[in-house]
Amino acid sequence: MIFGKTEQFAIEIAEPADNISKSLLPIRIWLNSTPIGTFCDKTYIPVFLGRLERCLSGDLQLPIEWAKKDTQEKFDNLMQGDDSAKYVLGLGDSFDDYNLFYYHKDNLIFFIWSLCNSPNFHHKNELIGSIFECSSEKDFVSSVLTEFKHHIES
């Protein structure tokens, strides 16, 4: 089941075969038509929700000198910077194969990510070694999260 628009931002869950708790689900997100995460592992949904809500709150901007750089240089700074931990978007176990960061600019959330060089799960080979960046309107991401939460709570 997909919430949102895969070409922009979406949350996708694999409906469990049995009637297990909705607090631990196979889940992934879609950023710019690219699936992030795996259905081969489950994520604790309260952590997933909390981290996405943290991503939506506040106005976490990149330092000016980083913001002027291209995607590769931004990613390198986020991977190695002394103050980069606050940009990490660790969504849970389904996302362990990814380095995923976020930041804000105006009413947009920017996501920068890469698939780890030695992933634990199978992913498209063309993703390995590539770095991606996209943005989505904060209000849109918030509406997708709200829709997903309503589904989980029902």
Side-chain angles (χ1 to χ4, degrees):
M1 176 175 269
I2 295 178
F3 306 87
K5 298 178 183 176
T6 58
E7 64 276 4
Q8 191 174 354
F9 176 86
I11 298 171
E12 182 180 15
I13 56 172
E15 291 294 336
D18 52 5
N19 198 7
I20 61 170
S21 167
K22 289 187 176 182
S23 65
L24 194 62
L25 292 172
I27 190 168
R28 63 185 180 182
I29 62 173
W30 288 78
L31 300 172
N32 198 28
S33 300
T34 304
I36 310 295
T38 180
F39 288 144
C40 296
D41 202 354
K42 295 178 181 174
T43 288
Y44 186 57
I45 297 304
V47 168
F48 176 83
L49 293 173
R51 300 223 173 125
L52 269 180
E53 287 169 346
R54 178 185 65 115
C55 173
L56 286 166
S57 68
D59 188 30
L60 184 61
Q61 297 186 19
L62 287 179
I64 294 170
E65 61 275 8
W66 292 11
K68 294 177 182 178
K69 298 183 178 201
D70 66 20
T71 299
Q72 176 70 55
E73 292 175 302
K74 283 182 211 171
F75 183 81
D76 291 345
N77 283 327
L78 289 166
M79 287 292 289
Q80 301 164 5
D82 292 335
D83 200 24
S84 62
K86 64 185 175 185
Y87 300 99
V88 172
L89 184 56
L91 295 174
D93 291 346
S94 299
F95 304 90
D96 284 349
D97 285 346
Y98 292 86
N99 297 303
L100 180 58
F101 303 95
Y102 77 96
Y103 67 93
H104 300 117
K105 183 178 178 186
D106 302 322
N107 66 337
L108 298 174
I109 299 176
F110 285 80
F111 300 96
I112 298 179
W113 72 95
S114 75
L115 181 62
C116 297
N117 289 330
S118 299
N120 295 309
F121 299 101
H122 175 73
H123 301 275
K124 292 181 179 180
N125 287 336
E126 64 266 18
L127 296 178
I128 295 176
S130 298
I131 297 170
F132 303 90
E133 182 175 22
C134 72
S135 65
S136 231
E137 290 186 16
K138 253 184 177 181
D139 289 343
F140 181 74
V141 174
S142 179
S143 70
V144 171
L145 185 58
T146 299
E147 181 185 2
F148 175 69
K149 284 168 57 176
H150 287 304
H151 174 78
I152 293 300
E153 293 166 358
S154 64

